[in-house]
Amino acid sequence: MSDWLMSVPAFIVSIGLLVAIHEYGHFWVARRLGVKVLRYSIGFGRRVWGFTGRQSGIEYWLSAIPLGGYVKMLDEREGEVAEADKPYAFNRQHPWRRIAIVAAGPGVNFLFAIVAYWLVFMIGVAGIKPMIASAPDGTLANAAGLRAGDEIVAIDDRAIGDWQDLRLTLIERGLDGQAVDLSVRGDDGMARDVSLDLRGVPADPEKLFDRLGLAPYQPPATPLIARVVPGSAAEAAQLQAGDEVLAVNGESVDSPQGLVDRIKAQPGERVTLAIARDGRRQEVPVTLAAAENEAGEPVGRLGAQIGVDGEAWEAMRTTRQLGPLAAVPAAVSKTWEVSALTVRLMARMVTGDVSWRNVSGPIQIANYAGQTASIGVEAFVGFLALVSVSLAVLNLLPIPVLDGGHLLYYSIEWIRGRPLSEAVQVAGQQMGMVALLMLMTLAFYNDILRLLG
């Protein structure tokens, strides 16, 4: 419940802000190009609060459904327009003007992402060093000779600052399907070059990293119970937050991942955890729950959030901070990289190379919003930048009812010298609505599956 007390307000602030910025792009350009604006609304449906501009006569609304917004412009297709106002109607404008008005929404979202990343780089981007854990046998990292504790300094001469850099770069290179050269520094301080063959690897990010066998290095540290999930096996065994887990069935564990792996390997079984509580060692029997992973295989479930003493991770932390000028090109580059990667992954979803389970809806976005807000300002601002890019890219898809669909129609009209027939436009709108409804249904379905674990 406490998680949602943070997630819901963070979600409302995030979506409200990004939608307001998107719609303001349409609003600002429309007014600059002489189109009469009737209403600027954040949200859909019934008006909850609002006012009317004294001089402009524009209605400013906050509406009941906070999952979008709109700018209503004077348009002869939506009602009668006085003869004196017809030159200011949207439908009377040259196609290039309509294209500019429609493109302004996604454009402002990209601009917001640049500004947000600029702020993040100036505040300082916290992360963990790109050091890797031991790669399992049969994985590409193991075959390449990568070892536990290796820090990946660069990929194809591109500097890698933290694990997020490493992850995004490998996803991008994985889509290219080529071998990459890694500059690696071992735990002994010695530098060496390693070739990692990415030909034929899965395009899906999760499957990619399973195939590579790459995971963050975990320094030896006793795992502990950070939180117990109500109704779980951990609660039934009376485990408590703060308990240090020393061993499972008499075999010691020295990292959170080691504990997780041991739990997953014993679905539905009764195990004995050796824990330390208040400085005293105890033996606690636990009957693990059983669940299925994405491959449909049974895995054990304890029902607890596993953590570790923060001091053990101190040496793994890193911060990238730039000055105001240096942060500008870095922010532009970051926005471009995230945008390009988003487009490529969406294209691979269409071809079936990337699972549609990667599509997230408002529930998952709210969850991420709450998590990043609880971490700190830089994490939350970075989250806003990422969602802003996603919103821009989604709206530019050539689907009628989205900005990209309108851009397609107006571009065709400009080239042909006349608009498409009304029947064609209506059919396109109907297909666009169906496609959008299917996408929203899929997003909610994925969110519910994640909630159910």
Side-chain angles (χ1 to χ4, degrees):
M1 179 63 72
S2 60
D3 292 342
W4 284 103
L5 290 177
M6 175 67 78
S7 296
V8 172
F11 172 75
I12 293 173
V13 169
S14 303
I15 296 301
L17 175 63
L18 295 177
V19 168
I21 289 170
H22 179 93
E23 298 303 330
Y24 187 75
H26 297 313
F27 174 88
W28 190 85
V29 173
R31 297 198 70 193
R32 294 302 176 278
L33 293 180
V35 176
K36 187 172 183 179
V37 176
L38 304 178
R39 182 182 302 150
Y40 173 87
S41 176
I42 306 304
F44 295 108
R46 181 177 57 85
R47 188 188 82 159
V48 175
W49 177 85
F51 64 93
T52 301
R54 290 182 180 180
Q55 295 183 346
S56 66
I58 299 172
E59 298 175 330
Y60 297 90
W61 283 15
L62 282 178
S63 300
I65 305 174
L67 293 178
Y70 63 93
V71 173
K72 183 178 181 181
M73 291 170 272
L74 190 68
D75 197 312
E76 292 175 288
R77 296 167 299 182
E78 298 180 4
E80 292 187 11
V81 175
E83 192 66 32
D85 285 337
K86 285 183 178 179
Y88 311 109
F90 179 77
N91 64 291
R92 290 285 185 109
Q93 307 304 310
H94 190 279
W96 80 260
R97 289 176 175 260
R98 282 176 274 155
I99 288 172
I101 292 169
V102 171
V108 170
N109 280 125
F110 285 125
L111 182 60
F112 173 83
I114 292 173
V115 173
Y117 280 129
W118 177 73
L119 285 172
V120 167
F121 283 126
M122 285 202 304
I123 294 171
V125 182
I128 60 173
K129 294 179 180 179
M131 297 174 66
I132 64 171
S134 177
D137 292 340
T139 61
L140 295 177
N142 181 274
L146 290 170
R147 302 188 293 266
D150 281 346
E151 181 176 355
I152 299 177
V153 179
I155 297 179
D156 290 337
D157 296 326
R158 174 178 173 176
I160 302 298
D162 56 24
W163 246 94
Q164 185 184 46
D165 275 353
L166 176 62
R167 182 175 177 82
L168 290 177
T169 304
L170 285 176
I171 291 172
E172 179 186 335
R173 296 295 194 271
L175 293 173
D176 295 334
Q178 302 292 328
V180 295
D181 295 322
L182 309 182
S183 297
V184 177
R185 183 167 52 240
D187 57 4
D188 56 2
M190 298 296 293
R192 67 184 194 280
D193 294 327
V194 173
S195 179
L196 187 62
D197 190 355
L198 300 182
R199 290 175 295 183
V201 298
D204 191 293
E206 297 305 323
K207 294 180 181 178
L208 169 65
F209 278 81
D210 287 342
R211 180 74 180 92
L212 292 176
L214 292 179
Y217 175 73
Q218 297 195 17
T222 303
L224 55 82
I225 305 295
R227 184 175 68 90
V228 175
V229 177
S232 65
E235 184 183 57
Q238 298 183 349
L239 291 173
Q240 301 175 10
D243 288 345
E244 296 182 351
V245 182
L246 308 176
V248 178
N249 289 340
E251 295 185 16
S252 62
V253 290
D254 62 359
S255 69
Q257 190 59 49
L259 175 59
V260 171
D261 291 342
R262 293 294 305 279
I263 295 299
K264 284 184 174 181
Q266 302 179 80
E269 296 183 18
R270 186 176 178 83
V271 300
T272 299
L273 302 184
I275 68 168
R277 180 184 298 168
D278 298 328
R280 298 178 58 188
R281 183 183 176 103
Q282 301 180 32
E283 303 288 330
V284 179
V286 183
T287 301
L288 300 175
E292 288 188 354
N293 60 17
E294 292 187 359
E297 301 167 339
V299 294
R301 184 68 57 82
L302 178 62
Q305 182 180 337
I306 308 300
V308 69
D309 187 346
E311 293 182 3
W313 284 84
E314 195 62 39
M316 289 287 292
R317 294 174 181 167
T318 183
T319 301
R320 181 187 181 192
Q321 191 170 21
L322 301 174
L325 293 180
V328 173
V332 173
S333 177
K334 182 72 171 180
T335 302
W336 170 256
E337 290 172 6
V338 173
S339 302
L341 184 58
T342 301
V343 171
R344 297 184 70 184
L345 288 173
M346 291 177 69
R348 292 300 185 95
M349 285 185 189
V350 174
T351 61
D353 295 327
V354 174
S355 171
W356 285 92
R357 296 185 69 172
N358 289 285
V359 176
S360 297
I363 298 175
Q364 186 70 356
I365 293 173
N367 185 30
Y368 286 142
Q371 289 179 12
T372 55
S374 65
I375 292 172
V377 174
E378 72 281 359
F380 185 60
V381 174
F383 164 78
L384 289 177
L386 181 61
V387 177
S388 190
V389 168
S390 299
L391 182 62
V393 171
L394 178 64
N395 269 281
L396 286 174
L397 293 178
I399 299 174
V401 310
L402 295 178
D403 291 338
H406 294 303
L407 291 174
L408 178 63
Y409 280 167
Y410 302 148
S411 298
I412 293 174
E413 179 183 345
W414 195 356
I415 294 169
R416 296 176 74 231
R418 64 183 187 278
L420 294 170
S421 68
E422 186 175 342
V424 170
Q425 293 190 48
V426 170
Q429 295 282 347
Q430 291 173 343
M431 289 189 292
M433 287 295 293
V434 171
L436 193 59
L437 181 60
M438 292 174 62
L439 185 62
M440 292 175 62
T441 302
L442 175 66
F444 273 106
Y445 175 75
N446 287 343
D447 283 356
I448 292 170
L449 284 184
R450 293 185 185 101
L451 282 178
L452 296 176

